[in-house]
Amino acid sequence: MRQAVPTPRAIRRGAAAAAAVTAALLAATAPAVTARADSGPGSPADTSPPVRIDRKDPDLKMRSGAELAPGRVLDIKSVVETGDGDERREDTNIAVTFALQAEVLFDKDSSSLGSDAHAKIRSIAEEVTRQRATTLRVFGFTDNLGSTTHGVALSKERANAVQRQLAKDVGSSGVSYQIRGYGELFPIADNATEEGRRKNRRVEVSFPRRG
């Protein structure tokens, strides 16, 4: 008895039927994916309720004798800077910080105050008096050009110069000063550009806020 040979059309139909069956099986066994609100453009938001939390769960209880930390006001920062970046004032809940670019205060590679420096320092002294500050920090900084030793020495000399003028303008013997020269440490801008290096060459005066 001769066995029937399937025609090409029958072979194609059989292959299509097998592919349809395979696709149906894969769809039935694939895990369902729930769309979330951040699933992407066009995806429906997940409107299911949030997970319920058992308030009696022992893992959520504090240890015996433990106490919550006292509440505190977050430290809010306000920064005001001139358009050219020569001066910057930073206010937080606990401190006031003034930053003056070195070019505003000194000639290049110098620690002698220029003619424009006195008015700038005087305005800081007025705020010191207004805040009734008794402890001032005067910190000097440079860029990363030149040797580290020279940068530290120059930044300290510049901090000393600002402190001396500040002490004259404040005129109070009850104010103590902390003076540091940090050289290229603690940059506030990128030293790879001249604009960044200019911002890093600065003297900062800070004190606790009272007003």
Side-chain angles (χ1 to χ4, degrees):
M1 186 175 194
R2 296 179 61 185
Q3 187 175 3
V5 178
T7 64
R9 178 178 296 179
I11 292 175
R12 288 195 296 271
R13 288 179 178 176
V21 172
T22 301
L25 290 175
L26 290 174
T29 57
V33 178
T34 303
R36 300 288 178 182
D38 58 353
S39 295
S43 300
D46 181 13
T47 58
S48 59
V51 178
R52 296 178 63 88
I53 298 177
D54 183 4
R55 292 180 295 176
K56 298 181 179 180
D57 190 328
D59 292 333
L60 299 179
K61 293 182 179 180
M62 296 178 62
R63 298 192 307 272
S64 177
E67 296 181 358
L68 290 173
R72 68 182 183 89
V73 178
L74 293 177
D75 191 15
I76 301 174
K77 178 185 294 186
S78 169
V79 179
V80 178
E81 186 175 282
T82 58
D84 52 12
D86 286 345
E87 302 174 56
R88 189 181 80 253
R89 172 173 174 160
E90 179 181 300
D91 289 81
T92 68
N93 294 336
I94 59 175
V96 179
T97 301
F98 289 90
L100 299 177
Q101 303 308 316
E103 281 78 355
V104 177
L105 302 172
F106 311 97
D107 290 333
K108 183 177 180 181
D109 207 32
S110 170
S111 59
S112 298
L113 292 173
S115 57
D116 295 335
H118 297 280
K120 305 293 185 183
I121 297 174
R122 191 179 304 116
S123 66
I124 297 177
E126 292 172 355
E127 185 64 20
V128 169
T129 302
R130 188 179 299 114
Q131 296 284 345
R132 303 186 302 278
T134 57
T135 301
L136 274 66
R137 298 188 300 178
V138 185
F139 296 162
F141 306 88
T142 63
D143 56 29
N144 65 345
L145 300 181
S147 69
T148 300
T149 301
H150 177 69
V152 171
L154 180 61
S155 62
K156 178 65 179 298
E157 291 170 1
R158 287 177 167 177
N160 281 328
V162 171
Q163 183 274 328
R164 287 192 295 267
Q165 184 60 45
L166 193 58
K168 292 179 181 179
D169 292 338
V170 171
S172 173
S173 59
V175 178
S176 61
Y177 296 86
Q178 300 174 10
I179 308 168
R180 302 284 189 277
Y182 287 106
E184 66 185 69
L185 297 178
F186 310 110
I188 59 174
D190 188 359
N191 271 316
T193 66
E194 176 53 34
E195 180 182 358
R197 290 191 294 270
R198 185 172 183 272
K199 288 187 175 183
N200 290 332
R201 298 189 294 265
R202 69 196 190 279
V203 175
E204 293 185 357
V205 179
S206 61
F207 46 88
R209 167 179 289 282
R210 287 194 176 184

